[in-house]
Amino acid sequence: MNMHTKIAAEKWVKIGTMDDIPRQGSRCISLGEKTVAVFRTVDDQVFALEDKCPHKNGPLSQGIVHDGCVTCPLHNWVISLATGEAQGADKGATAAYGIRIENDAVFLDIGTLV
Amino acid sequence: MTEKQKLVVIGNGMAPGRLLEKLIDQEPDAYDITIFNAEPRVNYNRLMLSPVLSGEKTYEDIITHSDSWYEENGITLYKSAKVVEIDRIAKKVTSKNGITATYDKLVVATGSNPFIIPLPGHDLKNVLTYRDLDDVEAMLDMADKGGRAVVIGGGLLGLEAAAGLKAQGMDVTVLHIMPTLMERQLDPAAAFLLRRAFEDLGIDVRCEADTKEITGKNGKVAGVRLADGTEIEATMVCMAVGIRPSLDLARKSGIECNRGVVVADDMRTSDKDIFALGECVEHRGECYGLVAPLYDMAGVIADNLLDGSSEYHGSVMATKLKVTGIDLYSAGDFAEGEGREEIVLRDASANIYKRLVIEDNKIIGAVLYGETSDGPWFFDMLKKGTDISELRETLIFGQAFQGGTPLDPMAAVAALPDDAEICGCNGVCKSAITGKITELGLTSLDDVRAHTKASASCGTCTGLVEQLMAATLGDAFNPNAVAAMCPCTDLGHGDVRRLIKAKNLKTIPEVMQELEWTTSCGCAKCRPALNYYLVADWPDEYADDYQSRFINERVHANIQKDGTYSVVPRMWGGMTSSKELRAIADVVDKFEIPAVKCTGGQRIDMLGIKKEDLPAVWSDLGKAGFVSGQAYAKGLRTVKTCVGTDWCRFGTQDSTGLGIKLERFMWGSWTPAKLKLAVSGCPRNCAEATCKDIGVICVDSGYEIHFAGAAGLDIKGTEILGNVTTEEEVMEHVVALAQMYREQGFYLERIYKWAKRIGLDEIRSQIMDQPERRKAYYERFVFSQKFAQVDPWNERVSGKDKHEFKPMAMIGLPSGSLEAAE
Ligand code: SRM
Ligand SMILES: Cc1cc2nc3c(=O)[nH]c(=O)nc-3n(C[C@H](O)[C@H](O)[C@H](O)COP(=O)(O)OP(=O)(O)OC[C@H]3O[C@@H](n4cnc5c(N)ncnc54)[C@H](O)[C@@H]3O)c2cc1C
Ligand code: SF4
Ligand code: FES
C-alpha cells in the first residue's frame, strides 16, 4: 500500500543537501529499525522509498537508478521511484515518502514514520 | 574419365568470385582452376570498402572467399601475381613475378582502374584513389594524421569516400565539377537534399568547382587550386572522378578492345577460348560499373564454360548510396523529355522527396530520397515494363498504400510478387529467399545470407530481407529479440561496439545521443554494457561511470540475500600462508563475521559483513597484504593452480608459479563477462583447466593452451588454442587472447560463447599464426592495465566513495531529532 494515502500529520525533517546524494544514485536514512532510501535522478528529482524491495526485501538503495525507476540489486525487479510500485509484470509496492527541496536542502516527511 | 580441362582466371574481384561459385555449384570437377590476382590478398566485398573506411566494419568482416575456401575447392590462387602476358598461341599466361599457367579456357576479369586527371601535381605524394583495400589503408593512415582531405568528384565513390574520411575525423571538402552532386543518378531536387545532408555532416561541398592544380610542398600534397583562383589547403587529395576498364593486357594480346574488352552475347571475346567478365567488359557498347550486371555476366559464363549456350542481354541498374544516415535510391532514366510525365511527392518536414518518371504508362525512372523502402518495388515495375495506369493516382505513395489503407511494411513485402527482386546486387528474388527459409528452416539473417546471397553484398536490402523472414517465419523470427541490446535501442551489441569506435564515442550520454537511444538515460541492461565497452575501448580517457555498475562492482563486494556482503581477497594461484590465514582469522573475530568458507575458486570467502564495516574490514586485510579478489567483477576472477613441480611427483612444469604470474599480470582487468583461468601441472589436470575460460596444461615439451570451456550454466570441455614452449610465450598468448575477447565480446558473453560466435579457427589464426597481431593485442592489454590495476579496496580505505558506506542521516525515532552522519 502507498503510505501517502494514510492520514497522518506531515512532519518534515532536514536530512541533508542535494550534494549529499549522487546523481543517478542514492543514500540511506537510518530511522532505527527502518531504513529509507533517498534517490536522485539524472534530472535532479529526489524521491524517498523504504529501502526494502516488495519482492524479497532487497535493499533498493543499492540498485541502478534509471528513468524514474530503480532496478533492485537482488533479482532485477524494477520499482517506480514516485509510487514505490513494481513495474511490468511484477506485482507489489514499497512505501514511498514525501520529499521537499528548499534551496539546496532536502527535507523528508517522516509524518507516517513517527 | 576424360582429362580435366584447365581454366585460368585473370583478376580475383567480385565478378570472378561469383563465376567460380556458380561453376563449382554446378559441376565442381569440370575444371582445374587457377586464378591470378594482382592484389596481395583473398577475395573481398569491394562494395563494403566504404564501411571499412568509415570504421563501421573491418577488413575481416568483408572477406567473401577465405584461403580455406580456395583450398577446399581445389583452386590455385596466386596472390600478388599480376598477369603481364597472354600467349594465345601456346595458350599460356605469365605473371610479373614469373608464374606461368596454361589454359584451355581463359577468363579476363581485370576490372577497372580509377581515372586520374593529369592535373599538374597529380603525381605528388598523398594523391590517392579509391579502388581497393590498399587505398583504404592509405586513406586511414592519412586520417590518423588529421588535417583536410579534398575529394575530387561528387559521384557515388567520391561521396562515400568523403563521408568515410569525415567519420575518421578529417576535415573534408568535396569538389564537383557539375552543378549538382551525382548528376548521373539524381535529379537536381534530390541532389540538393543530398548536398544539404552532406553539409549537415560538416562536409564542405563545392559544385562547379574546376580543379586546376594540386599544389605541393616537399613532394607532398599541400592543397588544390581551382580555376577561379580559390586555394584550399589539404594534406591529401582523393581522386574519384570515374573508372576506366583495365584493358592493357587484353589489348596487348591482340584481343579486340574498344572502350572495354569487347564481348558478344555469349561473353566470348574475339578469341573463342577467352571470355571477358566484369568491369573490363564492353557489351553492346556499354561498360558497367555496378555489381548486379557483372553477376549476370558471371552466370552466363559459368553456363557457357559447361557447354551451355546462355546469352547476356545487358542490364538495367539501380543505385543506392551507402552512407550511414542518408537514404537514397535511384534507377533508370529521369531526364525530362517529350512525352514524359512525372509524379512528385515532397515532405519537407521529414526531408522526403520522391519522383517517378513515366512514359507510355510505364515507369522509366525513379529517384527516392529520405525514404527508400519502395525502391525495389518501383524498380521491379521499371524492369518489367508494368503498365501503371491503374495505379497512377496512388503510385507515388508506394506499395503499402495500394489497396487503400496504409499498410505496415510487413504486409507490403508479403504482397510482393514471387519474382520481385529483393537483392539487386545478387539478383535474388522473393521466392528464392522464402523458399530457402522454409526448406532449410533458416532463422537468422546470417543463415539467409549464406544460403541465398541476399543482402550479402552491399547490405542495403537487409531490412527487406528481415521483413521477408518475419513474414515467412511469423513469431519464430524476431530480429529485435535476437539483435537489440535492450529495449532502449534497436541496435545489437555488435553494432554498438563498432559504432562506439567508429564514431569516437567516449561517454555514455554521447553514445545514447549519437545512437538515438529511445530512453533518456538507458536502463539497468544497457548502462553496465556501455560502461564496459567504453572502459575497454578507451582505457586512458574514459572515466568509469560508477552509477552504471551493479552494486557488487560499485562497492567491490558481493551482495547477499539479506543485504549484507561477502568479501573474497585474492590468494594468488590459491597459495596462502600462516600470516594470511591469521589476518583472516583476526578480521573474522573482530567484525563478528558469521560465516567463513573455502570457495570453489581456491580461496576464502567471508560472508555476512555489514556494509558499513566493509572499509574497516578491507583496511585490516590490506595491512596483511591482501587485495580484492574481484569475486564480483566482470573481470579476471581466479587463476586456479595445482602444486606442480614444487611437490607433485608427476608435475612437468611450475604450474603454481605460472598461475601466480598470470594472476598478478592480469588482475584488475575488466572483461565482457567473468574470466577464470587455471593451470594444471600435467594432463591429470587437478586444477580442472579443461573447463575454464582459459586453461593451461603443462606437458614435458611445454604448455598446451586451452580456451572456451564452461562449467557453470553450461558444461563444455575446452578447445585447444595451441602449444608453446616457454612461460613467456604462455603469457603472451593468454594475454593476447584475453584482449581479443575484451575487444570483441558482448557484455555478459563468456569466452566460449564469443568463440562460438566468431569461430575457433579465426581465434587460433589471429593468436597462434599472426605474431604481429598477437603482440598488438598484448600491448593493448598492457596499456589498459596501467589504468585498471588499482586495488579498489585500498582506494576505498583511503576515502573513495565514502558516501556509499555511511547513511546520509540517522534519525532517532520517535523524537524526530536529527543527527547528521557526516
Ligand atoms: C563463492 C562461490 C561459491 C563457493 O562458495 O564456492 C560462488 C558464488 C557465487 N556465484 Fe559462482 N561462485 C563460486 C564459484 C563458481 C564456479 C567454480 C569456479 O570458479 O571454479 C563456477 C563454475 C565456473 C564458471 O564460472 O562458469 C561458478 C558459476 C557461477 C555462475 C554461472 C556462470 C555461467 O556463465 O555459467 C553464476 C551466475 C552468473 O554469473 O550469472 C555464478 C554466480 C555466483 C554468485 C555471484 C551469485 C550472485 O549473483 O550472487 C554467487 C556469489 C556468492 C557470494 O556473494 O560470494 N557462479 N561459480 C565461488 C567463488 C569463487 C571465487 O573464489 O571467486
Ligand atoms: C568503394 C567502392 C564502392 C562501391 N560500391 C558499389 C555499390 O554500392 N554497388 C555496386 O553495385 N557496385 C559498387 N562498386 C563497384 C563494384 O565494386 C565493382 O563493379 C565490382 O567490384 C567490379 O568487379 P570486377 O570483378 O569486375 O573487378 P574488381 O572487383 O575491380 O576486381 C578486379 C581484380 O583484378 C585484379 N587485376 C587487374 N589486372 C590484373 C592482372 N593483369 N593480373 C591479375 N590481377 C589483375 C585487380 O587487382 C582486382 O583485384 C563500388 C566500388 C568501389 C571501389
Ligand atoms: S551454486 Fe553459486 S549461485 Fe548457486 S547457490 Fe551456490 S553459490 Fe549461489
Ligand atoms: S528482492 Fe528485489 S527483486 Fe528480489
Side-chain angles (χ1 to χ4, degrees):
Chain A
M1 195 182 26
N2 189 329
M3 297 295 254
H4 279 314
T5 60
K6 272 196 183 170
I7 305 188
E10 291 180 11
K11 183 165 167 44
W12 295 96
V13 291
K14 179 175 172 205
I15 52 172
T17 62
M18 284 298 269
D19 286 346
D20 294 331
I21 319 167
R23 265 205 191 114
Q24 292 189 296
S26 118
R27 294 292 300 273
C28 293
I29 311 294
S30 163
L31 298 115
E33 289 291 283
K34 214 168 246 175
T35 304
V36 171
V38 180
F39 301 88
R40 173 171 170 193
T41 62
V42 77
D43 52 356
D44 291 339
Q45 299 187 64
V46 178
F47 298 98
L49 297 178
E50 183 174 1
D51 195 17
K52 242 183 178 182
C53 178
H55 178 220
K56 293 193 172 173
N57 299 335
L60 296 174
S61 57
Q62 317 291 294
I64 290 186
V65 177
H66 55 92
D67 271 343
C69 292
V70 57
T71 294
C72 176
L74 292 195
H75 318 97
N76 298 329
W77 278 32
V78 177
I79 311 296
S80 156
L81 294 177
T83 66
E85 273 169 39
Q87 305 292 293
D90 299 319
K91 290 277 164 288
T94 211
Y97 303 103
I99 284 280
R100 203 170 71 208
I101 308 209
E102 272 169 31
N103 301 322
D104 215 26
V106 183
F107 293 85
L108 172 71
D109 174 11
I110 58 167
T112 52
L113 287 160
V114 265
Chain B
M1 223 180 84
T2 50
E3 174 89 349
K4 266 203 211 176
Q5 293 217 78
K6 293 200 192 77
L7 171 67
V8 171
V9 182
I10 305 176
N12 190 21
M14 303 199 57
R18 179 50 51 90
L19 166 67
L20 294 182
E21 279 171 22
K22 296 230 168 182
L23 203 56
I24 285 163
D25 230 25
Q26 290 171 37
E27 243 177 84
D29 295 322
Y31 284 97
D32 255 338
I33 305 172
T34 304
I35 181 157
F36 286 82
N37 196 17
E39 286 188 63
R41 51 185 74 88
V42 289
N43 199 2
Y44 58 94
N45 185 343
R46 195 175 301 284
L47 279 58
M48 284 300 172
L49 284 175
S50 293
V52 173
L53 178 62
S54 67
E56 289 162 82
K57 285 201 181 323
T58 64
Y59 168 61
E60 285 72 27
D61 294 332
I62 68 165
I63 291 177
T64 52
H65 302 82
S66 62
D67 281 312
S68 54
W69 185 84
Y70 294 96
E71 227 164 83
E72 277 158 28
N73 292 297
I75 298 172
T76 309
L77 167 65
Y78 294 114
K79 303 175 198 167
S80 301
K82 179 174 176 150
V83 172
V84 288
E85 192 192 341
I86 304 172
D87 180 341
R88 288 162 55 212
I89 314 276
K91 292 193 148 188
K92 190 177 87 175
V93 305
T94 307
S95 75
K96 197 167 171 187
N97 51 352
I99 303 168
T100 60
T102 53
Y103 65 83
D104 296 301
K105 293 280 185 285
L106 179 70
V107 175
V108 177
T110 45
S112 48
N113 298 319
F115 179 62
I116 298 185
I117 317 171
L119 293 171
H122 72 271
D123 47 4
L124 287 166
K125 196 164 165 341
N126 303 333
V127 176
L128 305 172
T129 54
Y130 190 17
R131 181 72 196 168
D132 59 23
L133 186 69
D134 297 323
D135 295 332
V136 170
E137 282 171 351
M139 283 195 259
L140 287 175
D141 265 0
M142 289 309 296
D144 269 351
K145 299 186 186 114
R148 177 169 297 276
V150 167
V151 177
I152 305 182
L156 188 84
L157 277 191
L159 292 176
E160 290 190 6
L165 290 166
K166 183 73 199 176
Q168 294 294 349
M170 291 193 90
D171 294 326
V172 180
T173 297
V174 176
L175 300 178
H176 191 52
I177 192 148
M178 302 302 285
T180 61
L181 295 176
M182 287 181 71
E183 74 287 346
R184 280 190 305 169
Q185 291 91 4
L186 297 185
D187 59 10
F192 161 75
L193 290 171
L194 179 65
R195 176 174 180 160
R196 201 170 59 188
F198 267 76
E199 285 168 349
D200 287 346
L201 290 174
I203 293 170
D204 170 32
V205 181
R206 304 191 190 186
C207 290
E208 294 179 275
D210 185 7
T211 314
K212 271 286 163 274
E213 182 184 354
I214 302 175
T215 56
K217 201 167 156 190
N218 305 327
K220 291 187 198 158
V221 170
V224 297
R225 183 175 304 122
L226 307 185
D228 67 5
T230 313
E231 307 230 7
I232 302 167
E233 273 185 39
T235 51
M236 67 164 276
V237 168
C238 176
M239 281 229 204
V241 292
I243 50 174
R244 296 286 180 272
S246 155
L247 38 72
D248 288 353
L249 176 67
R251 181 171 277 150
K252 216 173 61 185
S253 337
I255 300 170
E256 185 193 341
C257 293
N258 187 19
R259 239 179 356 125
V261 184
V262 175
V263 296
D265 284 359
D266 62 2
M267 297 303 297
R268 286 187 165 86
T269 63
S270 54
D271 178 330
K272 70 173 177 23
D273 289 324
I274 302 181
F275 293 85
L277 168 63
E279 281 189 349
C280 60
V281 164
E282 177 179 325
H283 170 264
R284 297 189 185 175
E286 287 281 342
C287 294
Y288 292 98
L290 292 170
V291 288
L294 313 185
Y295 287 173
D296 294 343
M297 296 177 189
V300 170
I301 297 183
D303 192 48
N304 290 347
L305 279 171
L306 299 171
D307 299 328
S309 55
S310 290
E311 291 195 345
Y312 177 67
H313 295 144
S315 312
V316 207
M317 286 175 297
T319 316
K320 276 200 91 163
L321 182 72
K322 303 182 303 299
V323 173
T324 307
I326 299 179
D327 276 331
L328 180 59
Y329 188 97
S330 107
D333 182 356
F334 36 79
E336 284 164 31
E338 189 92 359
R340 290 184 174 180
E341 308 159 72
E342 58 174 16
I343 308 177
V344 174
L345 173 84
R346 285 179 203 269
D347 178 346
S349 63
N351 246 339
I352 290 175
Y353 169 79
K354 301 183 183 185
R355 175 161 167 255
L356 298 174
V357 181
I358 315 281
E359 195 172 48
D360 294 335
N361 285 324
K362 291 180 192 128
I363 301 177
I364 61 161
V367 188
L368 309 177
Y369 186 95
E371 212 285 306
T372 54
S373 57
D374 282 312
W377 186 59
F378 292 134
F379 187 48
D380 194 48
M381 291 193 277
L382 184 151
K383 280 199 300 187
K384 291 188 188 142
T386 311
D387 185 321
I388 51 91
S389 38
E390 299 275 280
L391 303 171
R392 238 199 120 92
E393 297 297 301
T394 55
L395 188 65
I396 193 82
F397 299 114
Q399 186 180 20
F401 194 82
Q402 308 309 318
T405 41
L407 291 179
D408 64 299
M410 204 83 104
V413 290
L416 280 177
D418 272 352
D419 61 349
E421 185 173 88
I422 301 293
C423 172
C425 293
N426 291 295
V428 190
C429 70
K430 178 181 162 189
S431 62
I433 300 173
T434 52
K436 281 280 187 239
I437 292 175
T438 335
E439 179 193 336
L440 304 173
L442 310 178
T443 52
S444 77
L445 183 63
D446 282 342
D447 284 347
V448 172
R449 282 184 180 145
H451 289 281
T452 67
K453 290 262 176 275
S455 125
S457 289
C458 80
T460 42
C461 63
T462 304
L464 274 178
V465 174
E466 280 181 338
Q467 283 164 11
L468 262 187
M469 294 182 68
T472 314
L473 292 166
D475 288 345
F477 177 71
N478 182 350
N480 290 338
V482 186
M485 205 164 139
C486 72
C488 308
T489 175
D490 288 335
L491 296 170
H493 285 268
D495 293 331
V496 171
R497 282 215 83 164
R498 211 174 284 127
L499 289 166
I500 286 177
K501 277 295 221 189
K503 298 180 155 225
N504 250 321
L505 307 177
K506 297 192 173 165
T507 65
I508 291 179
E510 214 173 291
V511 174
M512 292 180 176
Q513 179 59 34
E514 286 290 315
L515 305 187
E516 301 182 345
W517 244 236
T518 56
T519 51
S520 65
C521 58
C523 70
K525 258 195 185 149
C526 57
R527 285 214 335 247
L530 294 180
N531 190 51
Y532 166 69
Y533 296 151
L534 294 166
V535 167
D537 286 347
W538 319 110
D540 50 340
E541 293 172 67
Y542 178 65
D544 201 295
D545 181 31
Y546 172 83
Q547 300 299 0
S548 292
R549 288 199 177 268
F550 289 116
I551 184 66
N552 287 359
E553 292 187 348
R554 212 153 68 213
V555 298
H556 298 273
N558 296 57
I559 195 164
Q560 304 294 311
K561 55 190 276 188
D562 61 356
T564 63
Y565 286 82
S566 79
V567 163
V568 189
R570 279 207 185 275
M571 273 181 182
W572 306 99
M575 292 295 286
T576 185
S577 65
S578 59
K579 176 176 165 251
E580 283 187 352
L581 291 173
R582 201 168 285 122
I584 290 182
D586 287 342
V587 165
V588 170
D589 286 347
K590 180 165 162 191
F591 296 93
E592 298 174 344
I593 295 175
V596 187
K597 179 176 182 305
C598 291
T599 71
Q602 297 190 338
R603 47 203 194 162
I604 291 177
D605 194 358
M606 288 160 264
L607 301 113
I609 302 174
K610 290 194 267 320
K611 193 177 180 190
E612 307 85 271
D613 287 344
L614 286 173
V617 167
W618 295 333
S619 168
D620 283 8
L621 290 171
K623 281 177 202 144
F626 283 114
V627 296
S628 170
Q630 270 116 355
Y632 46 81
K634 309 289 173 246
L636 184 84
R637 298 275 180 103
T638 53
V639 182
K640 293 191 6 169
T641 71
C642 72
V643 289
T645 38
D646 276 354
W647 299 96
C648 178
R649 64 203 162 103
F650 294 117
T652 62
Q653 310 281 354
D654 178 13
S655 51
T656 328
L658 177 56
I660 294 174
K661 249 187 225 167
L662 281 165
E663 190 170 357
R664 287 206 179 269
F665 200 82
M666 294 173 71
W667 74 273
S669 57
W670 298 105
T671 44
K674 50 195 170 189
L675 185 64
K676 297 177 178 179
L677 275 59
V679 186
S680 284
C682 82
R684 287 170 193 77
N685 190 19
C686 298
E688 299 166 332
T690 52
C691 63
K692 289 285 171 276
D693 296 298
I694 307 180
V696 179
I697 305 279
C698 302
V699 289
D700 277 328
S701 58
Y703 307 84
E704 195 172 84
I705 304 179
H706 289 242
F707 73 119
L713 298 165
D714 288 315
I715 303 206
K716 187 181 159 301
T718 44
E719 307 286 339
I720 293 184
L721 181 73
N723 290 286
V724 298
T725 50
T726 66
E727 281 196 351
E728 286 62 45
E729 286 172 301
V730 176
M731 298 294 290
E732 185 174 302
H733 286 71
V734 167
V735 164
L737 172 63
Q739 179 66 15
M740 185 175 174
Y741 166 56
R742 294 183 71 230
E743 291 175 13
Q744 302 181 356
F746 297 166
Y747 190 62
L748 300 185
E749 182 179 54
R750 290 290 285 263
I751 247 187
Y752 70 100
K753 293 190 176 155
W754 163 71
K756 185 168 167 220
R757 178 165 59 81
I758 73 158
L760 298 168
D761 286 339
E762 181 59 30
I763 299 174
R764 286 192 193 105
S765 132
Q766 292 203 18
I767 303 296
M768 298 305 302
D769 307 336
Q770 303 181 35
E772 271 170 26
R773 264 209 143 116
R774 178 172 70 234
K775 291 208 165 69
Y777 280 127
Y778 179 87
E779 291 303 330
R780 289 200 290 276
F781 185 91
V782 170
F783 178 71
S784 81
Q785 283 297 77
K786 280 207 283 199
F787 312 95
Q789 245 178 19
V790 180
D791 176 33
W793 289 355
N794 185 32
E795 278 187 301
R796 277 148 194 83
V797 169
S798 321
K800 188 166 186 201
D801 301 336
K802 200 159 60 191
H803 63 86
E804 261 302 345
F805 304 99
K806 279 186 190 166
M808 177 169 159
M810 312 242 265
I811 301 173
L813 291 177
S815 71
S817 67
L818 181 68
E819 97 196 41
E822 279 173 290

